[in-house]
Amino acid sequence: MKETTNVFAEYCSTLSESDAAAVRDFFSEFNVYFKLSKKESRKFRSDFENALMAITRRGVSVHEALNRLSMSNLGGFYARPAVQWFPLDEAAKIYPFSMDHGRQQMFRLSIYFKEDVVPELLQMALTFTIKRFPSFATTLKKGFFWHYLDTVKKRFAVTEECDMPCQPIKVSMSGSGAFRLTYYKNRMSVEFFHVITDGTGGMVFIKAVASEYLRLLGVECPADATGDLYDVNETPHPEEFENAFVKIEKAKSGGGFVEKSALQLTGKPANHSPCRVLHLKMNSDKLREVARSQGATVTAYLLLQMFLACHASTDELSGDINIQVPVNMRKYYESRTLRNFSMFCGIRLPVDQMENREQMLREIATQLTEKAAKDKMHAMITSAVSIVGGIRLIPLFIKDPLVRLVYSFMNEKSYTSTLSNLGVISMPEPLAKHIDHMDFCLGAPAINRVACSAITFNNTTVFTICKMTSDPTFEEKIYKYFLEDGLEIEVEGSDHYAY
Amino acid sequence: MHIKITYPPVEKHRFARRKLLNILRWPFVLAAVASVIVNIAIGGVFWSSIAVVALWSAWSLIFSVDLVEYNRTSQSIKTISFAIVLLTLIDLFLAPGFAVFVVPIVYFAGLIFCAVLLFTDFETQRHNIMPLLLFIFFAIVTSAVGLALWHEHDFWPLIVLGVVAAVLLIAIIVMLGADFKRELIKRFHID
């Protein structure tokens, strides 16, 4: 910290008198915006100093740089005490119970810029954005009956990526956050503990951070072209934090949670989870065309390829392959919530009936239509709300072992894998041209050997495979099937960590 | 399949806690079961309960630590609570008669220790206050019940325990002000 201050003092000494005065003026306001501990305030001050130097290094005038870094972007967030708190939504309530040492329900969203990330500006982008998402600026706490999210006013640090995606976040320490923002070369990634949001909420957040980052870099986005992008200086709306599940009227009957066991891929689980992450990049128009030529939607087509690859990756001759597909409830129920608001369904096919592709595809499409239908999801939400309501008065110290026990019976054993398709993501044109592509990665499951996800941006679909076993059959087969269908695939990813 | 590596190299992970727990779990379970079996086999007082609680304390405090709210307040209270339970069990099964006097002393000393931890870093620790509030609540109950049941004994530690707990509770209410009510609402929410 001292070193940074010295560097900044040196930097200031090189400025003209008027620039130096402008910088002094700028920092004279600092204490108005930060009512935090000295240690925490010093970190923020250092961030501002580093960002100022980073912007001016790019040939921007000091006045323009100070304008971009204006402290009014903080909106008083750090000047007010932390008083907000958020009960967990119905879907999130299970996540603290399903946590274990080294295991957490995580997912990750990444944006690949056309240039390498400037960490100092990314840090400021996060600092300016977080106030718009108060339910993300939280720490997980224990209540007497339920866990909850307690607001924390601290610097959420941006760090350089140094591990495999979706490693657990230590949420146990005082004020520890439930997400992490990292960068590596031209990639910016946000990894979320599912307790704070789902894929849709996470996407809103990462888009807001990216737009703020690009603004700091000097990319202009006219106000009328922002589309669905959140204005980070707008006051958050209460509907964005609502527990949308409880607003839905109860269905006549519940259901949908209990599934019989499914086959698991035969590969030995690796010690390092995930042991490999692969991104299969393809042209989305071409993908859509291939899917359409087979009479299927993109999701159904991807599921077909997964079923075939799963079939090739298991030695079992009987039983079912069951692929979990998350379903975004926002498409059925109007909601602006940034919290969790998704359910899931299982697409199940017997392993001994995987010869006829057309028949399989028909079956997948039928099951997708039926099982992800609004009435089925409604019944599932009713069950979730009823279960939560039924145990709400049991103290947490009793509920914890009970829920863990039940979860151990109902968890991933029912599924072979997961496919989460976030669909087509859009960004305003002035910002989109600075972004190459995006990817979306699910965290390592406990039992399943593979989890898949897909996202489309800028006419590029990225199909991500998160591997928990060294056995390469799944990815090799799915790659081969895509090629056989005429898709051109570019494969990116991590090295393989088998130890 | 040609893979373009776009991730940083990962250094070999340190021995993962989960792995360590999976290995250590069995010696702990075996030791607990063995102590109960030996206790039943040789008869006598139920001393194995002390062994089981001691093993559980070590497991919970050192190895399988809390995944939510692992902070100095919660861990101090957990340690003191285990100590109190162990002292009570020792009194019950091995050396009767000392707990009524010793346990309140350990309890109020623990309360004072927690108060020091709280007030030396109030801004941070105010967010970890729930275990302390429960600890204070049980201290007041223990003091009241203890005085009702054992008032013919040397009962000054029970009085001190009640007084320390009450003073600490008042201090917390004063320091937190309106936040005290908010703290109770969020800690006891049921939705």
Side-chain angles (χ1 to χ4, degrees):
Chain A
M1 198 74 69
K2 210 167 190 178
E3 207 173 277
T4 317
T5 314
N6 288 340
V7 173
F8 188 68
E10 262 176 47
Y11 164 82
C12 287
S13 68
T14 64
L15 298 177
S16 69
E17 190 51 47
S18 71
D19 283 349
V23 171
R24 272 196 304 277
D25 264 5
F26 179 83
F27 282 106
S28 67
E29 289 287 287
F30 185 82
N31 289 337
V32 176
Y33 288 93
F34 290 95
K35 294 277 179 270
L36 301 170
S37 67
K38 275 185 187 166
K39 193 177 157 197
E40 208 62 23
S41 296
R42 266 202 301 272
K43 288 183 198 165
F44 278 109
R45 188 174 172 115
S46 177
D47 287 342
F48 272 97
E49 292 171 354
N50 290 334
L52 177 62
M53 290 188 285
I55 297 177
T56 52
R57 261 201 305 271
R58 300 171 69 87
V60 178
S61 73
V62 170
H63 281 83
E64 171 58 21
L66 293 176
N67 190 34
R68 286 184 202 170
L69 291 170
S70 170
M71 287 194 202
S72 61
N73 289 309
L74 294 163
F77 182 73
Y78 290 105
R80 297 192 295 269
V83 291
Q84 275 183 309
W85 66 281
F86 308 91
L88 298 187
D89 56 73
E90 254 56 4
K93 280 190 164 85
I94 188 73
Y95 295 125
F97 298 117
S98 69
M99 264 198 306
D100 200 351
H101 293 283
R103 191 174 291 150
Q104 212 171 31
Q105 300 273 356
M106 302 281 296
F107 68 95
R108 159 170 158 149
L109 295 163
S110 300
I111 290 181
Y112 294 71
F113 295 103
K114 289 189 175 158
E115 283 177 29
D116 280 1
V117 168
V118 182
E120 296 88 346
L121 299 190
L122 190 57
Q123 178 64 65
M124 287 314 302
L126 177 60
T127 300
F128 289 155
T129 306
I130 196 72
K131 64 176 187 298
R132 180 67 184 79
F133 298 87
S135 61
F136 288 53
T138 50
T139 185
L140 186 64
K141 305 293 278 186
K142 267 183 198 167
F144 191 75
F145 298 105
W146 291 109
H147 295 92
Y148 66 95
L149 296 169
D150 205 6
T151 301
V152 53
K153 300 284 175 94
K154 66 155 198 168
R155 172 182 179 264
F156 289 88
V158 170
T159 52
E160 187 169 9
E161 205 175 314
C162 60
D163 210 332
M164 291 293 276
C166 298
Q167 295 304 305
I169 295 174
K170 203 169 183 180
V171 290
S172 57
M173 310 307 278
S174 289
S176 47
F179 74 92
R180 75 162 72 89
L181 202 159
T182 61
Y183 66 91
Y184 182 68
K185 294 184 177 169
N186 64 333
R187 177 175 60 224
M188 164 185 110
S189 308
V190 190
E191 299 182 343
F192 300 94
F193 179 21
H194 235 311
V195 81
I196 56 169
T197 189
D198 59 9
T200 308
M203 184 48 73
V204 172
F205 180 73
I206 195 172
K207 280 165 70 173
V209 176
S211 89
E212 189 59 12
Y213 170 73
L214 289 170
R215 183 189 71 77
L216 291 170
L217 277 174
V219 177
E220 300 280 345
C221 183
D224 57 347
T226 51
D228 61 350
L229 209 58
Y230 275 38
D231 175 0
V232 296
N233 289 328
E234 196 184 33
T235 308
H237 302 281
E239 310 95 83
E240 290 165 9
F241 323 125
E242 74 183 7
N243 178 0
F245 291 103
V246 295
K247 288 184 75 182
I248 297 167
E249 217 172 280
K250 278 194 174 179
K252 281 180 191 150
S253 62
F257 274 110
V258 183
E259 289 245 20
K260 58 179 182 178
S261 288
L263 291 179
Q264 298 302 322
L265 306 192
T266 342
K268 185 176 179 280
N271 285 335
H272 200 295
S273 61
C275 64
R276 171 162 250 177
V277 171
L278 294 172
H279 305 293
L280 277 61
K281 283 167 67 181
M282 57 196 101
N283 181 289
S284 49
D285 284 343
K286 181 74 182 160
L287 172 66
R288 211 171 299 125
E289 191 189 308
V290 168
R292 212 169 283 162
S293 71
Q294 300 186 16
T297 60
V298 168
T299 304
Y301 172 74
L302 293 176
L303 278 168
L304 171 74
Q305 306 294 45
M306 281 180 69
F307 271 110
L308 292 169
C310 284
H311 177 45
S313 312
T314 181
D315 293 335
E316 302 290 342
L317 301 173
S318 61
D320 293 342
I321 292 175
N322 192 13
I323 300 180
Q324 188 184 56
V325 180
V327 182
N328 186 358
M329 290 298 100
R330 293 166 186 87
K331 72 178 183 183
Y332 295 133
Y333 302 98
E334 184 72 27
S335 177
R336 293 180 64 179
T337 189
L338 294 174
R339 313 286 298 283
N340 286 283
F341 194 36
S342 46
M343 284 278 123
F344 56 86
C345 66
I347 309 300
R348 184 179 281 268
L349 292 179
V351 75
D352 54 1
Q353 289 171 27
M354 300 221 171
E355 304 304 323
N356 188 329
R357 274 176 67 112
E358 281 171 25
Q359 208 177 335
M360 281 174 72
L361 202 52
R362 268 201 303 277
E363 181 60 27
I364 291 167
T366 310
Q367 285 195 32
L368 258 184
T369 314
E370 284 172 3
K371 293 184 174 177
K374 189 178 178 181
D375 59 328
K376 287 281 183 337
M377 293 295 110
H378 192 186
M380 206 171 185
I381 291 173
T382 302
S383 288
V385 174
S386 303
I387 292 167
V388 167
I391 59 171
R392 65 183 185 158
L393 289 175
I394 301 174
L396 194 60
F397 66 91
I398 299 172
K399 198 152 35 193
D400 189 289
L402 289 178
V403 177
R404 276 176 194 275
L405 189 70
V406 174
Y407 181 77
S408 69
F409 290 113
M410 283 176 62
N411 69 359
E412 293 168 16
K413 286 172 199 156
S414 312
Y415 298 97
T416 311
S417 183
T418 302
L419 171 66
S420 183
N421 185 1
L422 271 188
V424 182
I425 306 300
S426 63
M427 280 288 266
E429 186 49 34
L431 306 181
K433 64 184 180 195
H434 295 272
I435 296 170
D436 188 67
H437 66 280
M438 294 185 185
D439 71 43
F440 165 41
C441 180
L442 295 176
I447 296 169
N448 299 166
R449 308 296 198 272
V450 65
C452 299
S453 46
I455 190 169
T456 301
F457 178 77
N458 262 359
N459 203 30
T460 302
T461 297
V462 180
F463 179 80
T464 299
I465 303 170
C466 182
K467 288 291 306 293
M468 260 57 66
T469 174
S470 297
D471 179 356
T473 316
F474 182 88
E475 57 269 31
E476 282 174 0
K477 288 289 177 186
I478 210 163
Y479 176 71
K480 180 175 158 255
Y481 299 145
F482 281 137
L483 291 186
E484 282 173 357
D485 283 346
L487 289 163
E488 282 175 28
I489 310 284
E490 204 181 308
V491 188
E492 292 180 355
S494 72
D495 227 326
H496 175 241
Y497 298 96
Y499 51 81
Chain B
M1 180 166 68
H2 172 72
I3 300 162
K4 183 183 167 195
I5 301 296
T6 53
Y7 284 84
V10 175
E11 281 176 29
K12 192 172 175 177
H13 272 213
R14 280 172 300 158
F15 203 60
R17 182 183 280 271
R18 185 149 50 96
K19 230 174 172 184
L20 183 73
L21 292 181
N22 285 339
I23 295 167
L24 284 176
R25 179 172 286 125
W26 297 111
F28 268 83
V29 171
L30 276 176
V33 172
S35 67
V36 174
I37 290 170
V38 171
N39 191 178
I40 292 167
I42 63 173
V45 294
F46 194 39
W47 55 264
S48 60
S49 63
I50 300 163
V52 170
V53 172
L55 284 166
W56 175 245
S57 313
W59 178 255
S60 166
L61 287 167
I62 303 166
F63 299 105
S64 183
V65 298
D66 293 342
L67 292 163
V68 182
E69 288 208 44
Y70 182 79
N71 52 65
R72 64 192 206 179
T73 307
S74 69
Q75 294 315 293
S76 305
I77 289 168
K78 204 169 161 183
T79 310
I80 297 159
S81 304
F82 275 128
I84 288 170
V85 172
L86 279 171
L87 284 171
T88 311
L89 288 173
I90 291 167
D91 179 276
L92 274 174
F93 298 116
L94 295 180
F98 74 92
V100 178
F101 188 73
V102 172
V103 165
I105 294 175
V106 173
Y107 206 152
F108 76 68
L111 275 175
I112 293 167
F113 179 69
C114 291
V116 171
L117 292 181
L118 171 69
F119 293 115
T120 49
D121 183 16
F122 191 72
E123 272 316 299
T124 309
Q125 297 306 320
R126 64 186 293 173
H127 300 290
N128 304 326
I129 218 159
M130 172 72 172
L132 185 55
L133 289 178
L134 290 176
F135 201 46
I136 291 170
F137 171 75
F138 285 114
I140 292 170
V141 172
T142 305
S143 174
V145 172
L147 284 171
L149 292 177
W150 295 295
H151 53 270
E152 71 278 10
H153 285 70
D154 198 358
F155 55 82
W156 68 263
L158 284 165
I159 294 175
V160 176
L161 174 64
V163 171
V164 169
V167 169
L168 187 52
L169 182 63
I170 292 164
I172 289 171
I173 293 171
V174 170
M175 292 284 284
L176 283 176
D179 287 343
F180 183 75
K181 191 180 162 196
R182 191 178 293 120
E183 194 65 31
L184 290 183
I185 291 170
K186 63 187 179 190
R187 293 288 186 171
F188 287 92
H189 79 278
I190 53 169
D191 295 319

